[in-house]
Amino acid sequence: SDLAGIKGLDDVYLTSALERMVRYADSQGKPLVVSNSWGSYWGPRDGTGEIADLVDQYFGKNHPNRVILFASSNDAGHRTGSEGGGFFVRKSRASSGSPLGTIIRTDGEGGDYYTGLMACAWSAGKLNCRLHVLDNSTGAIRKTWTVTKETSSFSGLKAYYAGSLAVYIQSENGKYQLAVCSDDGLEAEGDYTLAIEVYPASGSADVNMWGGDWSYFTDHLSTAGHTWTAGTDDMSVSDEATIPDAIAVGAYVSKTTVTNSAGENQTYSSGALGDIAYYSSYATAELSPTGKAYPWITAPGAQLVAGVNHYNSSGSTSYFDYYKGDLVVNNANSPYGVMEGTSMATPVAAGIVALWLQAAQEANKALTVDDVKDIMKQTAISDSYTTGTNAAHFGNGKIDALAGIQYIVEGSGGSVVQPATASAVSDETIDFTAQGYDNAEPVRSEERRVGKE
């Protein structure tokens, strides 16, 4: 194995890290599996962009024995109480007179405290929006701002909210985005909530919009003269999960009770044993911009016992500080704890894929990403959960390590071809600067939902 340090989750640093791993694996004549427990709230979720180009050049169909997996994200199940709603909302042929309108809420905070990205809309043409402050009891509009360009200036905001508010309107890869953000938090001074109406700057166009850091969309209030649309979780995966040559992984519940280091039984409420974890993001083919469903496969992701960072100095932001009750082995030199999320399921799937690639190599075979996807599909576990109410959340089912190996060694999986050599990547570096990429753009954040919640 080789460790590739990375300064941050932007495309330039990711390119450098992935290129190093590819070159090292090829120099050793070994397969390469890369597990990604991060994802972006930004992005059109249509399988395009710089990261997709990078994956295609290093892990595409022409590069056997290299596989990259991404967590599908943890953005399903945000809805609070009886409000309903979900992470994704869309409108066909939106226009100024018929905008995409919805109410922005936040998970666990009653909709009155926003942080980070709140909403990210995408369309084929430039977008404008109207932001409204609603009375969260009556639905009446208390304040409206019309936004036609990037701004962080909102006159009268302090009468309703403390903190910052900004709107970014940008073009990227021939598409346009409009993002509503609060970098340092936005807290209501009363019983208020935000609503947004997004529409093309001219004419009409389809508009897709996703939530952000714990935000989701509802229609729980009525406002005269306005139509609010409730969100759905049926297209809640991250941008990276839609990359054609990547494998998106969801999480199912493999354990509901764990005994912690104090000998106490901790019970977790992520879902029924064997069922999908409630937060595991998915997409239906009907709502996905690519026309394809996600994730491709699921793996155990709730609850998993794994090694955690042993850094434990006073005042640190370590696992010891935040999840002390979830420590299974409370030893500063070798601690283990309980964690959950698609960020835990993805390395499980990646480890299984590594075993498959090793088995294939010993059988003088090489597996492309399509081969791996086919093995997953052909050998996945099917049960009452994967075919039941939450069938769409499971993709092709639950990954089966042993069945996959048997499928490979018995002759059905993979082709007898030679793996890529180190020279094959000599000219694959992507020049993001030449493409006009802005390294300062805050495009990525690590997945947040870990531990007991």
Tab-separated table of all heavy atoms in Angstrom, residues 396-430:
chain	number	residue	atom	x	y	z
A	396	ASN	N	-28.366	-2.640	-6.752
A	396	ASN	CA	-28.427	-4.039	-7.181
A	396	ASN	C	-28.437	-5.020	-6.021
A	396	ASN	O	-28.391	-6.233	-6.236
A	396	ASN	CB	-27.247	-4.344	-8.102
A	396	ASN	CG	-27.404	-3.692	-9.452
A	396	ASN	OD1	-28.298	-4.043	-10.220
A	396	ASN	ND2	-26.564	-2.723	-9.737
A	397	GLY	N	-28.495	-4.506	-4.791
A	397	GLY	CA	-28.573	-5.382	-3.630
A	397	GLY	C	-27.424	-5.170	-2.670
A	397	GLY	O	-26.817	-4.092	-2.625
A	398	LYS	N	-27.110	-6.215	-1.887
A	398	LYS	CA	-26.038	-6.167	-0.896
A	398	LYS	C	-24.823	-6.931	-1.424
A	398	LYS	O	-24.950	-8.055	-1.911
A	398	LYS	CB	-26.513	-6.814	0.417
A	398	LYS	CG	-27.734	-6.146	1.032
A	398	LYS	CD	-28.231	-6.937	2.243
A	398	LYS	CE	-29.458	-6.288	2.868
A	398	LYS	NZ	-29.996	-7.079	4.004
A	399	ILE	N	-23.672	-6.330	-1.315
A	399	ILE	CA	-22.458	-6.948	-1.835
A	399	ILE	C	-22.180	-8.263	-1.111
A	399	ILE	O	-22.376	-8.378	0.101
A	399	ILE	CB	-21.271	-5.971	-1.717
A	399	ILE	CG1	-20.082	-6.474	-2.531
A	399	ILE	CG2	-20.890	-5.730	-0.260
A	399	ILE	CD1	-18.987	-5.443	-2.708
A	400	ASP	N	-21.720	-9.265	-1.880
A	400	ASP	CA	-21.419	-10.596	-1.340
A	400	ASP	C	-19.973	-10.933	-1.706
A	400	ASP	O	-19.666	-11.247	-2.860
A	400	ASP	CB	-22.378	-11.632	-1.925
A	400	ASP	CG	-22.263	-12.996	-1.243
A	400	ASP	OD1	-21.146	-13.379	-0.859
A	400	ASP	OD2	-23.301	-13.674	-1.098
A	401	ALA	N	-19.080	-10.873	-0.727
A	401	ALA	CA	-17.648	-11.051	-0.983
A	401	ALA	C	-17.334	-12.436	-1.532
A	401	ALA	O	-16.649	-12.570	-2.562
A	401	ALA	CB	-16.865	-10.795	0.311
A	402	LEU	N	-17.815	-13.486	-0.850
A	402	LEU	CA	-17.483	-14.848	-1.250
A	402	LEU	C	-18.063	-15.196	-2.613
A	402	LEU	O	-17.380	-15.766	-3.471
A	402	LEU	CB	-17.973	-15.840	-0.202
A	402	LEU	CG	-17.738	-17.321	-0.508
A	402	LEU	CD1	-16.245	-17.606	-0.693
A	402	LEU	CD2	-18.336	-18.198	0.588
A	403	ALA	N	-19.315	-14.825	-2.835
A	403	ALA	CA	-19.951	-15.141	-4.120
A	403	ALA	C	-19.206	-14.462	-5.267
A	403	ALA	O	-19.079	-15.025	-6.363
A	403	ALA	CB	-21.414	-14.713	-4.103
A	404	GLY	N	-18.692	-13.254	-5.009
A	404	GLY	CA	-17.940	-12.557	-6.043
A	404	GLY	C	-16.648	-13.266	-6.396
A	404	GLY	O	-16.291	-13.401	-7.584
A	405	ILE	N	-15.932	-13.731	-5.397
A	405	ILE	CA	-14.686	-14.470	-5.642
A	405	ILE	C	-14.977	-15.754	-6.410
A	405	ILE	O	-14.276	-16.103	-7.380
A	405	ILE	CB	-13.967	-14.774	-4.316
A	405	ILE	CG1	-13.394	-13.479	-3.713
A	405	ILE	CG2	-12.850	-15.800	-4.526
A	405	ILE	CD1	-12.712	-13.672	-2.386
A	406	GLN	N	-16.014	-16.472	-6.000
A	406	GLN	CA	-16.364	-17.710	-6.702
A	406	GLN	C	-16.718	-17.434	-8.155
A	406	GLN	O	-16.341	-18.196	-9.060
A	406	GLN	CB	-17.525	-18.392	-5.980
A	406	GLN	CG	-17.155	-18.925	-4.600
A	406	GLN	CD	-18.354	-19.411	-3.813
A	406	GLN	OE1	-19.476	-18.942	-4.014
A	406	GLN	NE2	-18.122	-20.357	-2.899
A	407	TYR	N	-17.414	-16.351	-8.399
A	407	TYR	CA	-17.804	-15.981	-9.758
A	407	TYR	C	-16.571	-15.723	-10.618
A	407	TYR	O	-16.542	-16.064	-11.802
A	407	TYR	CB	-18.677	-14.725	-9.678
A	407	TYR	CG	-19.382	-14.353	-10.953
A	407	TYR	CD1	-20.540	-15.008	-11.356
A	407	TYR	CD2	-18.919	-13.307	-11.739
A	407	TYR	CE1	-21.208	-14.638	-12.514
A	407	TYR	CE2	-19.579	-12.913	-12.892
A	407	TYR	CZ	-20.717	-13.592	-13.279
A	407	TYR	OH	-21.378	-13.226	-14.419
A	408	ILE	N	-15.547	-15.135	-10.012
A	408	ILE	CA	-14.316	-14.825	-10.746
A	408	ILE	C	-13.514	-16.088	-11.039
A	408	ILE	O	-13.130	-16.353	-12.185
A	408	ILE	CB	-13.461	-13.824	-9.949
A	408	ILE	CG1	-14.178	-12.473	-9.857
A	408	ILE	CG2	-12.078	-13.649	-10.590
A	408	ILE	CD1	-13.587	-11.540	-8.824
A	409	VAL	N	-13.268	-16.880	-10.009
A	409	VAL	CA	-12.366	-18.031	-10.181
A	409	VAL	C	-13.013	-19.159	-10.971
A	409	VAL	O	-12.317	-19.979	-11.570
A	409	VAL	CB	-11.880	-18.554	-8.808
A	409	VAL	CG1	-11.113	-17.484	-8.073
A	409	VAL	CG2	-13.038	-19.081	-7.967
A	410	GLU	N	-14.342	-19.199	-10.999
A	410	GLU	CA	-15.027	-20.241	-11.764
A	410	GLU	C	-15.143	-19.905	-13.239
A	410	GLU	O	-15.701	-20.669	-14.017
A	410	GLU	CB	-16.409	-20.503	-11.166
A	410	GLU	CG	-16.350	-21.192	-9.803
A	410	GLU	CD	-17.709	-21.286	-9.136
A	410	GLU	OE1	-18.700	-20.840	-9.768
A	410	GLU	OE2	-17.787	-21.781	-8.000
A	411	GLY	N	-14.654	-18.729	-13.625
A	411	GLY	CA	-14.545	-18.420	-15.043
A	411	GLY	C	-15.524	-17.433	-15.605
A	411	GLY	O	-15.440	-17.074	-16.779
A	412	SER	N	-16.496	-16.964	-14.805
A	412	SER	CA	-17.528	-16.089	-15.350
A	412	SER	C	-17.139	-14.608	-15.342
A	412	SER	O	-17.619	-13.834	-16.161
A	412	SER	CB	-18.833	-16.265	-14.558
A	412	SER	OG	-19.293	-17.591	-14.650
A	413	GLY	N	-16.297	-14.211	-14.386
A	413	GLY	CA	-15.992	-12.792	-14.241
A	413	GLY	C	-14.615	-12.429	-14.729
A	413	GLY	O	-13.624	-13.110	-14.433
A	414	GLY	N	-14.514	-11.348	-15.530
A	414	GLY	CA	-13.220	-10.844	-15.951
A	414	GLY	C	-12.746	-11.421	-17.265
A	414	GLY	O	-13.320	-12.355	-17.822
A	415	SER	N	-11.659	-10.836	-17.775
A	415	SER	CA	-11.079	-11.265	-19.041
A	415	SER	C	-9.595	-11.538	-18.855
A	415	SER	O	-8.939	-10.920	-18.026
A	415	SER	CB	-11.264	-10.170	-20.108
A	415	SER	OG	-12.626	-9.851	-20.277
A	416	VAL	N	-9.064	-12.447	-19.655
A	416	VAL	CA	-7.638	-12.756	-19.578
A	416	VAL	C	-6.900	-11.719	-20.414
A	416	VAL	O	-6.634	-11.901	-21.596
A	416	VAL	CB	-7.343	-14.176	-20.081
A	416	VAL	CG1	-5.850	-14.492	-19.954
A	416	VAL	CG2	-8.158	-15.192	-19.311
A	417	VAL	N	-6.613	-10.586	-19.794
A	417	VAL	CA	-5.885	-9.504	-20.441
A	417	VAL	C	-4.832	-8.998	-19.477
A	417	VAL	O	-4.892	-9.234	-18.272
A	417	VAL	CB	-6.821	-8.342	-20.848
A	417	VAL	CG1	-7.825	-8.794	-21.867
A	417	VAL	CG2	-7.512	-7.761	-19.621
A	418	GLN	N	-3.872	-8.277	-20.005
A	418	GLN	CA	-2.812	-7.745	-19.173
A	418	GLN	C	-3.248	-6.422	-18.547
A	418	GLN	O	-3.890	-5.600	-19.195
A	418	GLN	CB	-1.536	-7.525	-19.995
A	418	GLN	CG	-0.954	-8.823	-20.527
A	418	GLN	CD	-0.600	-9.765	-19.400
A	418	GLN	OE1	0.023	-9.368	-18.429
A	418	GLN	NE2	-0.999	-11.028	-19.539
A	419	PRO	N	-2.885	-6.200	-17.276
A	419	PRO	CA	-3.216	-4.929	-16.635
A	419	PRO	C	-2.434	-3.782	-17.241
A	419	PRO	O	-1.429	-3.981	-17.915
A	419	PRO	CB	-2.816	-5.154	-15.166
A	419	PRO	CG	-1.754	-6.202	-15.233
A	419	PRO	CD	-2.158	-7.101	-16.371
A	420	ALA	N	-2.902	-2.543	-16.953
A	420	ALA	CA	-2.218	-1.351	-17.440
A	420	ALA	C	-0.819	-1.278	-16.834
A	420	ALA	O	-0.570	-1.731	-15.728
A	420	ALA	CB	-3.016	-0.094	-17.067
A	421	THR	N	0.120	-0.714	-17.569
A	421	THR	CA	1.488	-0.545	-17.077
A	421	THR	C	1.722	0.893	-16.692
A	421	THR	O	0.940	1.787	-17.015
A	421	THR	CB	2.492	-0.950	-18.163
A	421	THR	OG1	2.315	-0.077	-19.275
A	421	THR	CG2	2.269	-2.396	-18.596
A	422	ALA	N	2.839	1.137	-16.020
A	422	ALA	CA	3.136	2.489	-15.547
A	422	ALA	C	3.220	3.474	-16.691
A	422	ALA	O	2.843	4.632	-16.559
A	422	ALA	CB	4.440	2.487	-14.751
A	423	SER	N	3.720	3.031	-17.854
A	423	SER	CA	3.871	3.954	-18.974
A	423	SER	C	2.537	4.430	-19.504
A	423	SER	O	2.465	5.461	-20.175
A	423	SER	CB	4.654	3.271	-20.106
A	423	SER	OG	3.952	2.122	-20.565
A	424	ALA	N	1.465	3.696	-19.188
A	424	ALA	CA	0.147	4.065	-19.715
A	424	ALA	C	-0.384	5.344	-19.112
A	424	ALA	O	-1.330	5.913	-19.616
A	424	ALA	CB	-0.849	2.935	-19.480
A	425	VAL	N	0.197	5.811	-18.025
A	425	VAL	CA	-0.306	7.017	-17.375
A	425	VAL	C	0.662	8.181	-17.504
A	425	VAL	O	0.509	9.197	-16.860
A	425	VAL	CB	-0.595	6.766	-15.876
A	425	VAL	CG1	-1.634	5.685	-15.720
A	425	VAL	CG2	0.680	6.405	-15.122
A	426	SER	N	1.670	8.036	-18.361
A	426	SER	CA	2.726	9.045	-18.422
A	426	SER	C	2.232	10.406	-18.888
A	426	SER	O	2.830	11.424	-18.558
A	426	SER	CB	3.842	8.561	-19.351
A	426	SER	OG	3.334	8.338	-20.657
A	427	ASP	N	1.154	10.445	-19.667
A	427	ASP	CA	0.685	11.731	-20.179
A	427	ASP	C	-0.760	12.001	-19.784
A	427	ASP	O	-1.494	12.675	-20.478
A	427	ASP	CB	0.809	11.770	-21.704
A	427	ASP	CG	0.007	10.659	-22.374
A	427	ASP	OD1	-0.534	9.807	-21.643
A	427	ASP	OD2	-0.078	10.671	-23.618
A	428	GLU	N	-1.209	11.506	-18.604
A	428	GLU	CA	-2.614	11.613	-18.225
A	428	GLU	C	-2.907	12.753	-17.269
A	428	GLU	O	-3.998	12.870	-16.752
A	428	GLU	CB	-3.080	10.303	-17.585
A	428	GLU	CG	-3.121	9.155	-18.574
A	428	GLU	CD	-3.623	7.885	-17.949
A	428	GLU	OE1	-3.942	7.896	-16.756
A	428	GLU	OE2	-3.709	6.873	-18.653
A	429	THR	N	-1.936	13.609	-17.003
A	429	THR	CA	-2.168	14.703	-16.067
A	429	THR	C	-3.153	15.702	-16.653
A	429	THR	O	-3.037	16.104	-17.808
A	429	THR	CB	-0.852	15.419	-15.727
A	429	THR	OG1	0.043	14.470	-15.170
A	429	THR	CG2	-1.092	16.548	-14.735
A	430	ILE	N	-4.125	16.119	-15.858
A	430	ILE	CA	-5.128	17.086	-16.291
A	430	ILE	C	-4.716	18.469	-15.830
A	430	ILE	O	-4.390	18.673	-14.656
A	430	ILE	CB	-6.510	16.748	-15.716
A	430	ILE	CG1	-6.925	15.350	-16.186
A	430	ILE	CG2	-7.548	17.767	-16.146
A	430	ILE	CD1	-8.202	14.871	-15.553
